[in-house]
Amino acid sequence: MLKRFVNVKDEEVGSVLLSFVYFFTLMCGYAILKPLRDEMATAKGVKNVSWLFTATFVVMLVAVPAFSALVSRWPRQRVIPLVYRFFLLNLLGFFGVLKLGVGGDHVARAFFVWVSVYNLFVVSVFWSFMADLFENEQGRRLFGFIAAGGTVGMLVGPFLVSLLAEPLGATNLMLFTAVLLEVSARCVRRLSRGGPTTQPRAAVAEAPVGGGIFAGLRLLFSSPLLLGLGLQILLYAATSTFLYNQQAHIVAGLASGTNARAAAFAGIEFWVQAFTLVLQVFVTGRLMTRFGLGLALAVAPLLTGLGFLGLAAVPTMGVLIGFKSLRNASHYAFERPGREVLFTSVDRETKYKSKGFIDTVVYRGSDTVSSWLYTGLDSLGLGAAGLALTAVPFAGLWLAVSLWLARLQQRFSARTGAEAPALAPTADAAR
């Protein structure tokens, strides 16, 4: 039956399905943790969010090179399960502390930072592992279906939280993620065994992975394309932070109690992922083929500007859910894949080093700066409407940069005589 929807060969079916399950368990587990993290941040006061983003950025500066050093010494099939089980032990530790009721605000803040770091690693490590297992030709055929496992996981996770948070207690749902994380580690072990299903390159699979993320900084400042991509992700992250703070304000004013807030956050995430799945299945391919890269890159910033205008006029939960669903779905389905097309015109060192720097350090740095900017503007008494309007120029600049990048890629393709490259599937998640 799978072959009716995916261009998969008989010998690949087992590995593709296992990879689908692997990504599903990772993203479902994260989707359970995310509303719990957001609830804790809201419960401790939205003004603390700036400090939490700052702490996340600092931890990321330490964690990313530490992980790079780890994979430079040992092969990934040993490192990845070890990393997942390290996170699993961390999660059980948080669960025990929260159940005992000790630590208070400090534990809640630490959990926020931990989840924010965790989500980067589970997505980035997954796709690195997929690239080791599958050849380039296989990836073009199969990664779209594998990526859908993550989208389904991001649908199921919030649904479970909204359904079970109040009857079981939000904290107890952390055990679901612990189980799913162990399943992910076991999927890595199964896939690492190789065989005719994935045809892994044995020498690569057994060899340690060298290089480091900060090596991409030099390349970043040597290319207009990379600088544009860095500015694009910076503006996306800045508008995301403004929207996150607006969400925290609105939910805090409408939902009272830990479980109710967790359920509210989960409800938002459910509709975001539901709409994303619809776009991925029915719209993305047709839009890219018919209208090209420019429109794909423009949809998310355009909807962001209109959404903030809507929140300024009517700051309600309904407008928030509609805005966030449209914005995030268009980002995951159109803007993010479009940005990946731009990376196909650069060399491999740039793809793996500069891209990693942009996707992590630039993103988290923008989180930190924009969060403090939001806090400063909030302290001036702008109010919800004023803060929403402040984000509109950021969305406008994001739109301008995106259209410029699309034209740059168009000129590059015309100059080289190359056809527009096929879209590479991505793993955002982070969302």
Side-chain angles (χ1 to χ4, degrees):
M1 180 173 291
L2 179 63
K3 296 176 72 174
R4 295 178 58 184
F5 305 99
V6 184
N7 184 14
V8 57
K9 299 176 182 178
D10 290 336
E11 65 271 19
E12 297 168 336
V13 170
S15 294
V16 168
L17 290 176
L18 188 57
S19 299
F20 181 96
V21 172
Y22 173 17
F23 201 28
F24 168 83
T25 56
L26 279 182
M27 299 314 295
C28 184
Y30 167 63
I32 290 172
L33 295 179
K34 190 173 185 292
L36 308 185
R37 179 202 69 175
D38 294 343
E39 186 283 321
M40 288 184 185
T42 302
K44 304 310 173 187
V46 291
K47 292 185 177 181
N48 290 332
V49 170
S50 298
W51 286 108
L52 297 177
F53 277 123
T54 302
T56 300
F57 178 63
V58 171
V59 172
M60 195 68 69
L61 288 176
V62 176
V64 171
F67 178 76
S68 297
L70 192 62
V71 296
S72 70
R73 293 174 179 269
W74 291 288
R76 272 200 191 118
Q77 65 267 29
R78 291 179 56 193
V79 171
I80 296 174
L82 178 65
V83 169
Y84 287 166
R85 284 165 179 151
F86 172 76
F87 279 121
L88 192 156
L89 290 175
N90 293 168
L91 186 60
L92 293 178
F94 277 116
F95 173 77
V97 170
L98 290 170
K99 291 297 287 185
L100 292 173
V102 298
D105 293 359
H106 297 298
V107 173
R109 295 184 187 111
F111 184 70
F112 183 100
V113 173
W114 180 84
V115 174
S116 300
V117 172
Y118 164 83
N119 73 359
L120 171 71
F121 279 98
V122 296
V123 173
S124 134
V125 169
F126 170 82
W127 284 109
S128 295
F129 187 58
M130 290 295 103
D132 277 346
L133 289 176
F134 293 96
E135 301 286 348
N136 182 269
E137 184 273 333
Q138 290 176 307
R140 288 196 297 269
R141 290 186 290 107
L142 305 174
F143 279 6
F145 175 76
I146 292 171
T151 302
V152 175
M154 291 296 290
L155 270 170
V156 174
F159 176 76
L160 289 175
V161 175
S162 61
L163 184 68
L164 301 175
E166 297 203 56
L168 296 184
T171 302
N172 292 328
L173 298 182
M174 294 167 67
L175 296 177
F176 283 70
T177 297
V179 172
L180 291 169
L181 197 51
E182 175 59 25
V183 174
S184 299
R186 290 177 182 271
C187 287
V188 174
R189 292 290 191 191
R190 289 283 301 276
L191 286 166
S192 295
R193 294 172 186 170
T197 53
T198 58
Q199 303 176 3
R201 291 150 285 180
V204 174
E206 293 297 330
V209 179
I213 187 170
F214 293 109
L217 184 60
R218 173 182 55 82
L219 295 170
L220 174 63
F221 288 101
S222 66
S223 166
L225 173 64
L226 294 177
L227 285 174
L229 287 163
L231 182 57
Q232 185 192 43
I233 197 68
L234 186 150
L235 292 166
Y236 165 70
T239 55
S240 297
T241 301
F242 266 70
L243 180 56
Y244 178 83
N245 281 278
Q246 291 273 303
Q247 171 183 286
H249 276 295
I250 292 172
V251 173
L254 295 178
S256 60
T258 297
N259 296 333
R261 282 193 297 267
F265 282 121
I268 293 173
E269 291 300 321
F270 175 80
W271 288 111
V272 167
Q273 297 305 322
F275 193 56
T276 299
L277 188 60
V278 171
L279 289 177
Q280 286 175 333
V281 173
F282 297 108
V283 180
T284 301
R286 294 178 177 87
L287 183 141
M288 293 286 185
T289 301
R290 184 170 182 179
F291 298 105
L293 186 59
L295 182 59
L297 293 174
V299 173
L302 180 61
L303 289 175
T304 297
L306 294 174
F308 276 116
L309 288 173
L311 274 182
V314 188
T316 63
M317 180 67 79
V319 173
L320 173 67
I321 292 175
F323 171 24
K324 190 169 182 181
S325 298
L326 289 170
R327 177 188 188 271
N328 287 10
S330 64
H331 167 69
Y332 299 142
F334 305 138
E335 194 258 355
R336 177 69 185 195
R339 192 167 77 245
E340 292 299 320
V341 170
L342 298 172
F343 277 106
T344 63
S345 61
V346 299
D347 58 37
R348 293 186 74 247
E349 184 181 24
T350 301
K351 290 175 184 176
Y352 286 102
K353 295 181 180 179
S354 293
K355 183 179 185 301
F357 185 86
I358 290 169
D359 288 347
T360 58
V361 177
V362 172
Y363 187 98
R364 294 305 183 191
S366 179
D367 272 347
T368 302
V369 173
S370 54
S371 182
W372 280 111
L373 176 62
Y374 187 96
T375 301
L377 294 173
D378 191 22
S379 67
L380 296 176
L382 287 184
L387 290 166
L389 290 174
T390 302
V392 175
F394 289 103
L397 182 57
W398 176 18
L399 175 61
V401 170
S402 297
L403 292 174
W404 176 79
L405 286 169
R407 287 195 297 270
L408 192 66
Q409 171 69 12
Q410 213 171 34
R411 289 200 297 270
F412 176 85
S413 296
R415 193 166 61 246
T416 59
E419 296 182 1
L423 287 178
T426 62
D428 204 16
R431 286 109 211 213

